[in-house]
């Protein structure tokens, strides 16, 4: 059933159609322009009366495209706000999606022309939408536009809200992959945060499972990139890459097995293992842009963390010197570096040449680490239970003693 929509010349949509069509045909002369303007206004009014919002959006955008470079930005924003508002008129989710596709396609066609304004229009459109998938669709177009138009600084702040967006959008695995990889690439190119870029890359890799045979083969280079970025980063000492099927497949890959071995060394071995590995594979490691001296520095910190993971609660200076392959006077320097990097919480006993540990960061936080926490919590719970039992027993004994004393006084 067709819905009849009453219209007037004061309707914003009709006003925009008249305004943009007059500008578009201004150079053709009055004799040519006036009939064309009248025709377009008539078509627009017919679309509104019949509720053909998709056709109206198409008609309005055809004229608006022609005047994009002729109108001040404030006027353009008003024009496109009226056009985008058409998505609120339709009651059909499919028609809304088609309008969204039409509008976004038009906006991103020339990303280098006023890219910031185009991005603002997309965000205005996003806020007008109620459908979750349509919102996700517009957001992805905004990300691509920001890259093509070199205005990524306007979208990067929104990355902090991605977890909330994901709950709202409720998108599938394929859409999540596109989102995570796009964000990771944007952050990498902008060089705003290498750690955030790495985190989104690991989220992307975590969406692949062992049974995704076809997809897994296509993600190898991204897995390699993640390992190399982790190895290069001077401020990252923990990751879950070893547990991911997308990364594990590198172990048996003829081309990339060396990368997997490197990751395993960084996450489970000490400096001596890295030095032996580097001596045998120096050319290959250089081809990935790894700087040997930087890797040594990182492995020294990782090795110190490994020493701290024992249950003794202390590390002799001599053991640190031997493991890190450093001089006596460098031991405290590397301990301070580990403290600064928040890898260790400890004190240095210079008299006894010991590092006294309170806490250390785990290089890998997997099943074994959860089991360790579970064991420690169980021990803590038992200790607390014993303390409570002792206090209650003492309280009962004390109350009994006081009762006896009061009887004796009487």
């Amino acid at each position: 059933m067709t819905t009849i929509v009453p219209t007037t010349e004061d309707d914003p949509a009709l006003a925009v159609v008249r305004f943009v069509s007059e500008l578009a045909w201004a150079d053709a002369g009055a004799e040519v322009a006036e009939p064309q303007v009248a025709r377009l206004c008539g078509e627009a009014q017919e679309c509104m009366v019949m509720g053909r919002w998709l056709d109206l959006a198409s008609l309005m955008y055809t004229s608006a495209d022609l005047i994009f470079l002729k109108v001040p930005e404030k006027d353009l924003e008003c024009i496109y706000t009226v056009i985008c508002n058409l998505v609120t008129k339709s009651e059909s989710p499919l028609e809304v999606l088609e309008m969204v596709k039409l509008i976004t396609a038009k906006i991103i066609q020339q990303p280098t022309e006023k890219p910031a304004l185009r991005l603002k229009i997309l965000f205005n459109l996003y806020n007008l939408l109620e459908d979750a998938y349509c919102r996700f669709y517009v957001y992805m177009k905004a990300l691509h536009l920001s890259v093509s138009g070199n205005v990524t600084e306007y979208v990067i702040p929104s990355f902090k809200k991605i977890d909330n967006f994901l709950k709202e959008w409720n998108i599938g695995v394929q859409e999540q992959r596109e989102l995570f990889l796009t964000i990771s690439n944007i952050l990498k190119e902008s060089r705003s945060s290498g750690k955030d870029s790495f985190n989104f890359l690991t989220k992307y890799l975590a969406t692949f499972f062992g049974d995704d045979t076809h997809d897994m083969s296509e993600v190898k280079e991204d897995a390699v990139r993640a390992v190399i970025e982790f190895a290069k980063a001077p401020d990252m000492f923990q990751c879950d890459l070893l547990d991911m099927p997308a990364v594990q497949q590198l172990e048996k890959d003829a081309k990339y097995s060396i990368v997997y071995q490197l990751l395993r060394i960084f996450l489970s071995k000490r400096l001596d293992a890295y030095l032996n590995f580097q001596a045998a594979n120096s050319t290959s490691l250089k081809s990935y842009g790894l700087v040997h001296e930087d890797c040594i520095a990182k492995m020294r910190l990782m090795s110190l963390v490994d020493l701290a993971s024992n249950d003794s609660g202390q590390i002799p200076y001599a053991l640190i010197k031997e493991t890190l392959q450093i001089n006596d006077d460098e031991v405290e320097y590397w301990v301070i570096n580990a403290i600064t990097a928040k890898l260790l919480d400890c004190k240095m006993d210079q008299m006894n040449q010991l590092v006294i540990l309170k806490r250390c960061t785990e290089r890998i936080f997997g099943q074994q680490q959860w089991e360790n926490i579970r064991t420690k919590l169980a021990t803590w719970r038992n200790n607390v239970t014993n303390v409570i039992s002792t206090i209650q027993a003492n309280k009962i004994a004390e109350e009994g003693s006081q009762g006896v004393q009061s009887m004796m006084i009487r």
Side-chain angles (χ1 to χ4, degrees):
M1 180 179 176
T2 302
T3 302
I4 305 300
V5 181
T7 65
T8 68
E9 185 61 33
D10 294 333
D11 189 286
L14 288 179
V16 166
V17 170
R18 178 170 294 280
F19 177 73
V20 298
S21 57
E22 285 176 350
L23 278 178
W25 288 94
D27 296 335
E31 292 184 2
V32 177
E34 288 180 6
Q36 293 295 336
V37 171
R39 176 183 63 81
L40 291 170
C41 288
E43 290 180 8
Q45 191 159 15
E46 181 182 346
C47 289
M48 295 181 69
V49 170
M50 302 302 292
R52 290 162 34 212
W53 305 112
L54 178 59
D55 292 339
L56 179 58
S58 179
L59 184 150
M60 294 174 75
Y61 257 104
T62 301
S63 298
D65 267 353
L66 298 174
I67 60 147
F68 198 89
L69 300 178
K70 300 180 181 179
V71 179
E73 288 198 4
K74 288 185 178 180
D75 292 339
L76 276 175
E77 186 178 348
C78 291
I79 291 169
Y80 280 88
T81 297
V82 172
I83 298 174
C84 290
N85 194 59
L86 294 179
V87 299
T88 66
K89 305 289 187 182
S90 177
E91 296 179 359
S92 167
L94 290 177
E95 186 178 37
V96 171
L97 179 58
E98 290 304 313
M99 280 195 283
V100 165
K101 289 180 178 180
L102 170 69
I103 293 170
T104 54
K106 294 287 186 181
I107 292 175
I108 67 175
Q109 270 183 350
Q110 296 175 300
T112 56
E113 297 289 348
K114 300 181 180 179
L117 174 62
R118 292 178 185 271
L119 202 56
K120 188 174 183 179
I121 293 168
L122 285 180
F123 284 138
N124 288 340
L125 173 61
Y126 180 97
N127 291 325
L128 288 168
L129 294 166
E130 294 183 359
D131 181 80
Y133 179 78
C134 287
R135 283 190 154 203
F136 165 72
Y137 186 91
V138 172
Y139 187 80
M140 289 305 304
K141 294 298 180 183
L143 295 188
H144 295 314
L145 173 64
S146 72
V147 174
S148 302
N150 196 27
V151 285
T152 55
E153 66 272 17
Y154 294 108
V155 299
I156 288 176
S158 70
F159 297 164
K160 296 178 180 179
K161 303 177 182 179
I162 287 298
D163 288 340
N164 292 331
F165 290 161
L166 286 173
K167 293 177 183 177
E168 174 191 332
W169 295 334
N170 193 28
I171 54 178
V173 173
Q174 292 297 335
E175 288 83 4
Q176 289 182 42
R177 289 174 181 173
E178 181 187 7
L179 175 68
F180 293 147
L181 188 58
T182 301
I183 292 177
S184 177
N185 290 337
I186 288 174
L187 290 170
K188 180 184 178 184
E189 293 301 320
S190 67
R191 300 187 181 185
S192 58
S193 174
K195 186 175 288 187
D196 287 340
S197 173
F198 175 80
N199 288 339
F200 277 105
L201 183 58
T202 56
K203 286 184 177 183
Y204 166 71
L205 294 173
T207 64
F208 292 88
F209 303 97
D211 53 352
D212 299 334
T213 307
H214 175 70
D215 292 336
M216 290 274 284
S217 62
E218 294 185 352
V219 80
K220 285 182 180 179
E221 292 188 3
D222 294 311
V224 170
R225 170 188 154 192
V227 174
I228 298 303
E229 285 187 7
F230 174 75
K232 286 182 178 180
D235 57 346
M236 287 193 289
F237 303 94
Q238 184 185 71
C239 73
D240 300 322
L241 292 176
L242 277 178
D243 295 330
M244 296 181 183
V247 177
Q248 289 173 345
Q249 67 174 329
L250 301 179
E251 183 177 14
K252 298 179 181 179
D253 187 278
K255 182 178 180 181
Y256 297 127
S257 61
I258 184 176
V259 176
Y260 184 83
Q261 294 174 50
L262 177 69
L263 177 65
R264 183 172 290 280
I265 288 172
F266 267 91
L267 292 177
S268 62
K269 305 295 182 181
R270 296 180 180 176
L271 178 62
D272 58 340
Y274 166 75
L275 292 174
N276 293 332
F277 180 74
Q278 193 276 338
N281 301 279
S282 59
T283 303
S284 297
L285 294 179
K286 284 181 181 178
S287 70
Y288 287 110
L290 293 167
V291 179
H292 182 48
E293 291 74 16
D294 294 342
C295 289
I296 289 178
K298 183 165 183 171
M299 277 304 301
R300 279 179 172 148
L301 290 173
M302 300 288 249
S303 300
L304 190 50
V305 168
D306 192 60
L307 290 175
S309 62
N310 64 64
D311 295 328
S312 67
Q314 59 186 32
I315 316 172
Y317 277 29
L319 182 57
I320 295 175
K321 173 190 173 184
E322 177 186 350
T323 304
L324 273 57
Q325 301 185 24
I326 53 178
N327 298 324
D328 289 328
D329 58 357
E330 295 178 290
V331 169
E332 293 186 357
Y333 167 81
W334 284 101
V335 173
I336 291 172
N337 282 348
I339 295 172
T340 303
K342 298 182 179 180
L343 297 174
L344 300 182
D345 183 3
C346 62
K347 293 181 179 179
M348 288 180 281
D349 182 350
Q350 294 177 325
M351 181 71 69
N352 296 306
Q353 298 283 283
L354 290 172
V355 173
I356 311 300
L357 298 164
K358 292 182 180 178
R359 179 198 60 82
C360 74
T361 297
E362 298 282 355
R363 288 190 284 182
I364 301 175
F365 204 91
Q367 186 63 35
Q368 182 60 49
Q369 285 67 40
W370 283 114
E371 289 295 333
N372 292 341
I373 288 180
R374 183 179 180 180
T375 301
K376 289 178 180 178
L377 286 174
T379 302
W380 176 81
R381 182 179 179 180
N382 290 334
N383 290 340
V384 171
T385 301
N386 292 335
V387 169
I388 292 174
S389 299
T390 301
I391 292 174
Q392 290 176 340
N394 290 339
K395 185 177 181 181
I396 292 172
E398 184 179 348
E399 289 174 351
S401 174
Q402 290 176 351
V404 171
Q405 291 178 3
S406 63
M407 290 176 65
M408 292 175 64
I409 292 172
R410 288 177 185 174

